[in-house]
């Protein structure tokens, strides 16, 4: 199966979890459906969901939780 990168639509800070107390949106081996949320991007105190466009199996995040990101940067990898 080929790896599919989930790309950042915006610059900002990327978060794996919806809040510090909650688990990550996805963990390695989790099933992913098109439209699933895999992270949040904070930009100017607004949070934007990052959704997948493809179904498959979540492999891993490619950036750290809380890392500054750029538009078009790969954020996560899905086997699809």
């Amino acid at each position: 199966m080929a790896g599919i990168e989930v790309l950042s639509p915006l610059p900002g800070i990327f978060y794996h979890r919806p809040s510090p107390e909650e688990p990550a949106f996805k963990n390695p081996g989790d099933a992913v459906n098109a439209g699933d949320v895999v992270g949040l991007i904070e930009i100017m105190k607004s949070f934007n969901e990052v959704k997948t466009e493809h179904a498959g199996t979540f492999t891993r995040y490619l950036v750290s939780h809380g890392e500054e990101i750029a538009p078009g940067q790969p954020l996560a990898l899905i086997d699809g």
Side-chain angles (χ1 to χ4, degrees):
M1 297 193 155
I4 300 167
E5 293 177 334
V6 178
L7 304 178
S8 173
L10 305 164
I13 306 296
F14 184 70
Y15 296 102
H16 297 189
R17 301 184 300 268
S19 72
E21 310 79 44
E22 295 185 51
F25 286 103
K26 295 291 180 185
N27 292 299
D30 285 352
V32 176
N33 294 308
D36 281 0
V37 176
V38 295
L40 295 174
I41 297 174
E42 179 186 7
I43 182 168
M44 297 180 67
K45 306 233 186 249
S46 293
F47 289 87
N48 301 276
E49 293 180 335
V50 176
K51 296 181 181 181
T52 63
E53 295 181 8
H54 303 280
T57 303
F58 187 82
T59 303
R60 64 188 174 100
Y61 287 105
L62 300 173
V63 297
S64 300
H65 179 77
E67 186 175 327
E68 189 170 336
I69 56 167
Q73 182 175 347
L75 303 176
L77 189 62
I78 296 170
D79 278 340

